[in-house]
């Protein structure tokens, strides 16, 4: 049974991926200091899978403590590195925090990867690395424009660091560029539960409908898009988790042709903010209290993926739609255990 170390195992994508890995028969170990997540997420993993994930409550920027985890688990076969700060706006206010946290943690992990000869690494990247792409949909070949935020820059730098290290050491690395993750585990037992106020569209919609917010503001309806609001590619968290398990399998089976490879993970469909709201209204049967507001600084206008590479090489096909995302997110919001 291969052993996978997951950093950020208690986070939104991390916890769903732990479930997917355990179900596929992997042994898992998590590192998470609950900086922006809750320990209850790990309890949910156990409730869903019947297995407890060992977690180390340590800061990945603490070199010594990170070293101790790898010393304890010298049989790690693959690592998925999720742990990072991810709020675009906050990263503009606190760029040093973002650069220190996201980059030092990555370097500490990679130092240990080299020390213990671990051959397989998966990195949480983002469609944010493309910036404002001129041609849509974006493929992995689409050039990276300047990052729109320090958060985006940490993902670009992270990718370059990994590309260089994989070239020098021969370590196999896959960077997964997520588009906009949303939704929750269909059981309603696990979902998005950040400690900080949610800023992403899907939780803003469900929290508004649940009465936790007064209204949802649509950030601009005067863009050059079909209804004036921004276009994104929303991907269900279950599809995203599944892609990570497939990426681990891909590396362990040595299917990669280059030491460093990149994959887009989206569903290949652009959805506007107003369409996302309509999808929510349709599946929930209630109308959302929203109004049109000003544009949000730093927003790209339109982005969606071409995920053909992941389909061909990882043998991954997304199963869920924007309506499934809204349905599961709404179920989660209405009866949240944590
Ligand atoms: C961005 C990044 C993504 C990153 C994520 C982390 C890009 C293209 N995407 O996602 O890679 O992982 O941040 O948080 O850089 N919106 C509203 N009202 C709201 C909230 C959002 O209208 O209250 C709109 C936004 O203007 C945007 C869409 O909804 O058009 C999605 O926004 P959000 O969920 O915040 O994600 P991104 O900013 O696209």
């Amino acid at each position: 049974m291969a052993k996978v170390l997951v950093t950020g195992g208690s986070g939104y994508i991390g916890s769903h991926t732990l479930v997917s890995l355990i179900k596929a028969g992997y042994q898992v170990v998590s590192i998470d200091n609950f900086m922006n997540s809750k320990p209850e997420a790990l309890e949910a993993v156990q409730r869903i899978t019947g297995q407890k994930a060992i977690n180390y409550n340590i800061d990945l920027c603490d070199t010594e403590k990170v070293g101790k985890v790898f010393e304890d688990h010298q049989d790690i076969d693959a690592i998925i590195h999720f742990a990072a700060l991810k709020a675009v706006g906050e990263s503009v206010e606190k760029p040093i925090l973002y650069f220190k946290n996201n980059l030092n943690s990555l370097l500490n992990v990679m130092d240990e990867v080299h020390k213990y000869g671990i051959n397989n690494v998966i990195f949480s990247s983002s469609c944010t690395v493309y910036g404002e792409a001129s041609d849509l949909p974006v493929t992995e070949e689409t050039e990276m424009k300047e990052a729109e935020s320090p958060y985006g820059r940490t993902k670009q730098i992270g990718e370059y660091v990994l590309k260089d290290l994989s070239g020098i050491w021969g370590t196999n690395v896959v960077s997964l560029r997520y588009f906009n993750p949303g939704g929750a585990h269909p059981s309603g037992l696990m979902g998005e539960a950040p400690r900080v106020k949610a800023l992403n569209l899907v939780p803003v919609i469900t929290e508004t409908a649940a009465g936790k917010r007064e209204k949802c503001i649509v950030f601009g309806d005067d863009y050059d898009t079909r209804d004036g609001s921004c276009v994104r590619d929303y991907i269900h968290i279950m599809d995203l988790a599944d892609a990570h398990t497939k990426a681990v399998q891909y590396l362990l089976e040595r299917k990669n042709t280059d030491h460093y490879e990149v994959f887009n993970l989206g569903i290949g469909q652009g959805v506007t903010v107003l369409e996302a709201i309509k999808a929510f209204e349709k599946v929930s049967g209630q109308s959302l209290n929203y109004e049109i507001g000003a544009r949000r600084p730093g927003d790209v206008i339109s982005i969606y993926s071409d995920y053909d590479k992941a389909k061909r090489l990882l043998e991954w096909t997304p199963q869920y739609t924007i309506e499934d995302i809204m349905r599961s997110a709404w179920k989660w919001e209405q009866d949240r255990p944590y």
Side-chain angles (χ1 to χ4, degrees), residues 44-180:
V45 170
Q46 188 171 359
R47 218 164 295 135
I48 293 166
T49 63
Q51 276 182 52
K52 193 173 161 62
I54 305 169
N55 182 64
Y56 286 79
N57 181 347
I58 61 157
D59 183 347
L60 284 161
C61 294
D62 186 328
T63 312
E64 240 169 74
K65 287 186 180 154
V66 173
K68 179 75 179 49
V69 178
F70 283 81
E71 213 177 290
D72 286 357
H73 297 276
Q74 299 194 13
D75 54 346
I76 289 167
D77 298 288
I79 297 186
I80 307 180
H81 180 51
F82 288 111
L85 295 172
K86 60 144 209 170
V88 176
E90 184 187 50
S91 78
V92 180
E93 284 157 31
K94 301 173 185 168
I96 298 290
L97 173 70
Y98 271 68
F99 288 128
K100 274 191 180 168
N101 185 77
N102 290 5
L103 300 176
N104 285 338
S105 55
L106 175 66
L107 294 176
N108 281 341
V109 167
M110 290 311 289
D111 210 3
E112 299 299 325
V113 159
H114 187 48
K115 193 164 154 192
Y116 290 98
I118 299 166
N119 239 323
N120 308 297
V121 176
I122 291 165
F123 177 60
S124 271
S125 188
S126 165
C127 68
T128 199
V129 299
Y130 295 111
E132 186 78 67
S134 24
D135 286 319
L136 293 175
V138 293
T139 73
E140 292 79 359
E141 307 305 318
T142 301
E143 70 163 322
M144 286 191 200
K145 298 269 180 65
E146 286 298 327
E148 300 276 338
S149 67
Y151 158 75
R153 188 66 85 193
T154 66
K155 293 297 177 191
Q156 290 182 336
I157 296 172
E159 284 206 21
Y160 280 123
V161 165
L162 288 168
K163 192 173 180 190
D164 289 349
L165 295 180
S166 69
I168 297 165
W169 297 336
T171 311
N172 298 308
V173 179
V174 160
S175 284
L176 298 177
R177 293 178 178 163
Y178 318 144
F179 284 67
N180 287 56

Side-chain angles (χ1 to χ4, degrees), residues 96-298:
I96 298 290
L97 173 70
Y98 271 68
F99 288 128
K100 274 191 180 168
N101 185 77
N102 290 5
L103 300 176
N104 285 338
S105 55
L106 175 66
L107 294 176
N108 281 341
V109 167
M110 290 311 289
D111 210 3
E112 299 299 325
V113 159
H114 187 48
K115 193 164 154 192
Y116 290 98
I118 299 166
N119 239 323
N120 308 297
V121 176
I122 291 165
F123 177 60
S124 271
S125 188
S126 165
C127 68
T128 199
V129 299
Y130 295 111
E132 186 78 67
S134 24
D135 286 319
L136 293 175
V138 293
T139 73
E140 292 79 359
E141 307 305 318
T142 301
E143 70 163 322
M144 286 191 200
K145 298 269 180 65
E146 286 298 327
E148 300 276 338
S149 67
Y151 158 75
R153 188 66 85 193
T154 66
K155 293 297 177 191
Q156 290 182 336
I157 296 172
E159 284 206 21
Y160 280 123
V161 165
L162 288 168
K163 192 173 180 190
D164 289 349
L165 295 180
S166 69
I168 297 165
W169 297 336
T171 311
N172 298 308
V173 179
V174 160
S175 284
L176 298 177
R177 293 178 178 163
Y178 318 144
F179 284 67
N180 287 56
H185 192 272
S187 64
L189 292 170
M190 198 164 73
E192 191 167 5
R195 285 192 184 278
V196 296
K197 197 168 176 240
L199 298 169
N200 295 114
L201 182 65
V202 178
V204 167
I205 290 176
T206 57
E207 286 180 14
T208 303
K212 293 181 183 166
R213 294 173 189 253
E214 201 203 326
K215 60 186 144 197
C216 167
I217 310 285
V218 175
F219 297 141
D221 72 344
D222 55 354
Y223 288 104
D224 184 17
T225 62
R226 55 182 171 267
D227 62 21
S229 62
C230 291
V231 172
R232 295 288 184 276
D233 183 344
Y234 297 89
I235 171 171
H236 199 294
I237 192 72
M238 298 298 289
D239 279 330
L240 198 53
D242 176 41
H244 286 79
T245 302
K246 293 219 155 82
V248 169
Q249 279 158 358
Y250 177 77
L251 287 181
L252 291 178
E253 289 167 14
R254 289 281 160 273
K255 288 186 172 160
N256 53 312
T257 44
D258 286 323
H259 287 306
Y260 182 74
E261 291 183 1
V262 175
F263 295 93
N264 281 342
L265 296 179
I267 71 166
Q269 278 164 33
V271 171
T272 70
V273 177
L274 293 169
E275 287 164 354
I277 290 174
K278 278 194 203 97
F280 172 81
E281 292 183 324
K282 184 176 166 201
V283 301
S284 69
Q286 66 177 82
S287 64
L288 187 78
N289 185 22
Y290 72 90
E291 70 182 40
I292 308 298
R295 292 180 175 195
R296 180 172 68 176

